[in-house]
Amino acid sequence: MAFSSIFAMGCGGNACDDAADKAEECGLTSSGGSGDSGDVECTGTVECAANCIVDAPCDAFDGSNADASTAYLECVTGCSGSGS
């Protein structure tokens, strides 16, 4: 899933922290938080994708809400023009 790459990069911005919290809330992570696994800043495309995660309901990630899943994927896809 698209959100997994955000956590792997270890972004440190508020949007990324919020996305990590949301993923944990939705039962999508098995580790203890976002951690510092990299030095990529939470800006541009990464920040945009993190905001998509925060804005999506949990059922957008498990496939039980097709409309929410589609909206989430469209949001992430739209982030490609948000910079690096």
Side-chain angles (χ1 to χ4, degrees), residues 16-47:
C16 291
D17 290 342
D18 291 346
D21 290 343
K22 177 68 174 256
E24 186 173 348
E25 170 191 328
C26 294
L28 302 174
T29 60
S30 57
S31 64
S34 61
D36 275 338
S37 59
D39 59 3
V40 174
E41 291 185 28
C42 189
T43 59
T45 303
V46 173
E47 182 179 27

Side-chain angles (χ1 to χ4, degrees), residues 26-79:
C26 294
L28 302 174
T29 60
S30 57
S31 64
S34 61
D36 275 338
S37 59
D39 59 3
V40 174
E41 291 185 28
C42 189
T43 59
T45 303
V46 173
E47 182 179 27
C48 179
N51 283 318
C52 294
I53 293 169
V54 171
D55 292 341
C58 290
D59 60 2
F61 307 118
D62 67 9
S64 65
N65 184 334
D67 290 336
S69 294
T70 299
Y72 165 70
L73 292 173
E74 288 174 353
C75 180
V76 171
T77 301
C79 291

